[in-house]
Amino acid sequence: MTISNLKQSRSDSIKPKINWSRVEEADNFAKTVKLFRQGKYDADSFRRFRLQHGAYGTRMTGDYAMVRIKIPAGEIYPRQLEKISQLSEQFSIGSAHFSTRENIQLHWVVLEDVSEIFRGLTEVGLTSREACGNTIRNIMCSPLSGVCPDEKFDSTPYALATARFFLRNPMVQNLPRKFKFNFTCCEKHGMVRMVDVGLIPHTQEVDGTTQRGFKIFLGGGLGNKSFVGYQLEEFTPEEDLVYTSMAVLRIFDRLGDRKNMARNRMRYLVNDMGWEKFQNLVLKERAIVRATQSVITQLEVDHTPNEIKRPIRISDESGSSIPDGYARWLKTNTVKQKQSGYRSIFITLEAGDITANQLNALADLIRDFSSEGKARFGFVQNVALRYVSEDDLPRLYSNLLEVGLAKSGALTMTAPIGCSGTTSCNLALTNSHRLAKEIQRKLLELKFDEDDDLSDSSIKISGCPNSCGQHGIATIGFFGGGGHVGKDMYANYQMSLGGRSDGDTMLGQTCLRVPAKRVIPVILKIIELFKQNKKSDDTLQSWIHRVVNNNEDSKIKSINDIKKVLEPLTIPPTKEEDPDFYLDYGDDTSYHTKTGKGECAA
Amino acid sequence: MRCLTDSGKITTDIDSLRSEIRDKSVRVIDVRREDDYKQDHIPTAVNLPLANLLSDDSPESVLKLMNTMGIDNETPVVVYDDTFGALASRVAWTFEYLGHSDVTLLETTYSNWKSLELESDSKIPEIQHKEHTLNLQPNILATADYLESAKERNDVILIDNRERLNFLEQHIPGAISLPYRTLATKDKILRPKDDMKRLLENRGITGNLEIITYCGSVGTLSGLAYYALKSAGLPNAKLYVRSFKEWKNLQKPTEKQEDASYWDLSAE
Ligand code: HEM
Ligand code: SF4
């Protein structure tokens, strides 16, 4: 009798449509690491090679890497989560990190083991190829695409087709710098003005038929200096999606700055040239691209509908009571879909970290509750299960509780973003990652997730000015640095207010510097000020928006007025008065700034 | 006959074990806790909770245990646990150290055995006392003193089998990190041979080197690693059986990964 794998009765789960992996890349990577260690491969070429394959360096050491696994359009399947769970225990720290760009990151991986992770990923069709480096990074799509009540159509198949077209495509292997695409569902749920190419599905009536297409935004992006993108034209028909993308990439490839690393994202090119000139260039280039393709190039957009099939009930628990906290969770973590009877439910983690056990549990929950049999990554280090029947919600909630995934506030201000900071990043000045966790714990303790006035605001934290934590588009944003009292140093954050990434996209405005250990009191004070001065239908976001635009008529009229109120909170005590002030979160030795060689431009 | 040192066989597969049980040609040892064992176990298995062995693991005492379990120099022994093979490895290694050459690990855990719906019962077998001779194998043991001098040699590799975060926090200087989870597959306690070889080769762990393994306290996780090395055809392995706990108690030097708050990345 053969008995292998009798157990896997659950493996009838839905299979990924696209295999993104290539096993020979694992072999090749292993070989190249050996050559590099033997000194037969120079450090610069090796670094470029490593990044092209999705492995970053790690804080203060050349022996470890961070592997960034791309999840194109954010679609992930149960078996993939289980594989990543296993890989995290074998080669990383037993946890994985969900990023803001629909990647999963494994940290503190021994460089020599990276190829083993690649090999494991090939078993489930995933890749980290072109997740870092000067190429097209993971192509994102809104977690609500396909279910959003406000969308014109589902852009997911277009995001996948674009990812497929460009992955390993020779034309994007050596761009001047990294390049990002975001697809979304509607104005409200996207981040289309904060990337190189942002796309909102749009339709147009032509001779009585509805034509699909996109509103395309170009030249936005966050970073040391951030810009808001411009809309290329009223409507770009779907056939032109690939030509427009190619045209933009060709221009960037030709004219982008390859020398000055600090200014070589496409947004600088757009800014230097001026939008109108850039826009004309794109339109002209597109005509050339269209005319010079020897065969008609089109994206392979897979329009086969997803199978929506309610999972079979394994056990009937209809009699069981609904656990505490259900109403709170339902309100702050779920949204109604355009398909009636279904909700999408969001799982918020602490700064995107999830244990190996939780990854496995998540895979089972998808199989048991999602009628589409897969999950979708979000934009805020989170993940969503969609097509959950309304009737199943109480049971899903209690299952989430059991595995520690039922934290409320997923869709509110109480779920902050924190980049990796000093937990692993070479450029970090502060432990932004831990700070995000501390803020979340405090705000949830205060039940701020239930406060409707706060739900459309956000808190985002970067560990240095580079914006990986997207502080520039946060209602309250922070980036890390160091402060001094005499020769003593402490972790200090620059705070900005009023950033947003929706239809009214704008970057936050600098308010003041806040020491790490004063960030929580300062946030609470801002909320207090808002409550004292708000108009009846104000949210924190709308109030701050008026203040930073000098349109507010209450006692607090400008960002300077806020600053004045907060300043006393930020005055450093002496080391004798409060030694803890001089320690960053998660560190028991006195604070000092220390950075290694950054690889963002590599 | 199966024999570790002769044939290099490290694990016994499920089907072979079942037929050996039918032939009554094997002594099966269950190293789970007594309560778990009493509930059910692989038919004919005797119970040796790891704690019983560790309470006094002097050669004389372990030899007595072996005798009461009816193991003499010729008895083939198969050990299993429900802890990814780590506890079973520690028992197997101890037997080997005393000079018992025919001991292997069941290729899978008891949970997996159960989930495959294979036979189990709660009968406690009657055992006939046997006499085993003592023939110590000091070449597979590393003591703290031995380790301290050996690790300065450049034909010696020291492997830490604890989880990565523990390694980053503190480890024996010069050690490399190979967490125990790396050694297994989803349903087997050890990877297939070629897979294991490739993995180890990538890490520079190859044939002619002497390799010493250690873990947190009693040589379980590193015991599994000891067998992983052997399964990949690396004969020259030693277990630092008192591991990091003793090393720290002796206040020997340790090393850590500086200037990074890696613990805050963990979701635990
Ligand atoms: C000058 C250097 C860098 C710049 C300008 C930069 C910029 C950015 C930006 C703008 C984002 C936000 C992505 C978006 O939402 O569009 C991002 C994300 C990210 N970057 Fe960087 N980056 C740099 C270096 C690094 C380094 C060295 C690391 C660590 C190896 C890193 C890790 C990340 C991570 C992990 C994210 C996702 C955020 C999260 O969820 O944790 N970045 N980066
Ligand atoms: S913002 Fe700075 S600290 Fe944070 S990940 Fe990016 S480079 Fe590192």
Side-chain angles (χ1 to χ4, degrees), chain A residues 53-99:
Chain A
H53 287 78
Y56 260 111
T58 292
R59 188 167 176 79
M60 306 303 160
T61 163
D63 293 339
Y64 295 94
M66 178 267 269
V67 178
R68 179 179 285 169
I69 303 159
K70 290 168 116 170
I71 312 298
E75 273 194 350
I76 189 142
Y77 296 80
R79 277 188 53 231
Q80 296 176 329
L81 288 164
E82 285 163 345
K83 191 72 210 177
I84 288 165
S85 164
Q86 186 191 28
L87 294 171
S88 79
E89 287 194 308
Q90 293 183 324
F91 301 109
S92 176
I93 59 170
S95 299
H97 172 77
F98 290 177
S99 91

Side-chain angles (χ1 to χ4, degrees), chain A residues 386-507:
Chain A
R386 315 190 311 174
Y387 286 99
V388 178
S389 294
E390 302 258 3
D391 308 343
D392 289 344
L393 290 168
R395 220 163 51 87
L396 172 55
Y397 175 68
S398 56
N399 286 358
L400 287 167
L401 265 185
E402 273 167 33
V403 292
L405 293 175
K407 206 180 294 304
S408 63
L411 299 167
T412 76
M413 179 185 179
T414 62
I417 288 178
C419 72
S420 43
T422 52
T423 66
S424 78
C425 175
N426 236 339
L427 298 172
L429 300 167
T430 56
N431 192 343
S432 44
H433 201 71
R434 172 72 176 269
L435 178 58
K437 295 184 180 191
E438 297 286 339
I439 293 173
Q440 183 176 24
R441 287 169 200 167
K442 187 70 193 175
L443 298 191
L444 285 179
E445 186 191 309
L446 296 169
K447 302 204 166 162
F448 280 1
D449 54 319
E450 294 189 288
D451 187 335
D452 289 334
D453 290 354
L454 304 180
S455 61
D456 64 356
S457 297
S458 61
I459 298 173
K460 299 176 199 282
I461 310 160
S462 305
C464 79
N466 285 320
S467 293
C468 305
Q470 304 172 336
H471 58 264
I473 51 170
T475 318
I476 309 180
F478 298 91
F479 74 82
H484 288 269
V485 176
K487 60 183 189 331
D488 292 322
M489 291 196 77
Y490 56 94
N492 203 11
Y493 286 89
Q494 180 66 257
M495 181 173 78
S496 54
L497 297 176
R500 53 200 292 172
S501 61
D502 53 6
D504 297 317
T505 292
M506 65 177 278
L507 294 163

Side-chain angles (χ1 to χ4, degrees), chain B residues 41-91:
Chain B
H41 48 256
I42 295 179
T44 78
V46 296
N47 187 213
L48 173 59
L50 186 67
N52 293 11
L53 180 125
L54 294 180
S55 64
D56 178 3
D57 67 348
S58 65
E60 299 72 27
S61 152
V62 177
L63 204 61
K64 267 191 223 139
L65 279 173
M66 290 173 81
N67 292 342
T68 58
M69 290 189 291
I71 299 167
D72 65 18
N73 295 27
E74 308 303 323
T75 315
V77 175
V78 175
V79 197
Y80 72 87
D81 64 17
D82 210 5
T83 325
F84 30 83
L87 309 194
S89 296
R90 178 63 166 83
V91 170

Side-chain angles (χ1 to χ4, degrees), chain A residues 1 3 5 8 59 64 90-92 95 108 112-113 116 119 353 422-423 431 433-434 437 586 594, chain B residues 14-15 115-116 164 167 181-182 184 186-187 191 198 202-203 257 259-261 264-267:
Chain A
M1 163 176 132
I3 37 182
N5 292 341
Q8 265 122 14
R59 188 167 176 79
Y64 295 94
Q90 293 183 324
F91 301 109
S92 176
S95 299
W108 293 97
E112 278 77 2
D113 282 340
E116 290 295 311
R119 193 176 300 278
D353 295 335
T422 52
T423 66
N431 192 343
H433 201 71
R434 172 72 176 269
K437 295 184 180 191
K594 204 167 191 179
Chain B
I14 291 175
D15 288 335
S115 69
L116 295 169
R164 179 68 35 80
F167 176 84
R181 292 274 186 198
T182 317
K186 207 165 146 226
D187 46 14
R191 290 173 179 254
R198 187 195 61 241
N202 283 343
R203 300 293 302 275
Q257 186 70 39
D259 297 314
S261 311
D264 289 328
L265 264 177
S266 166

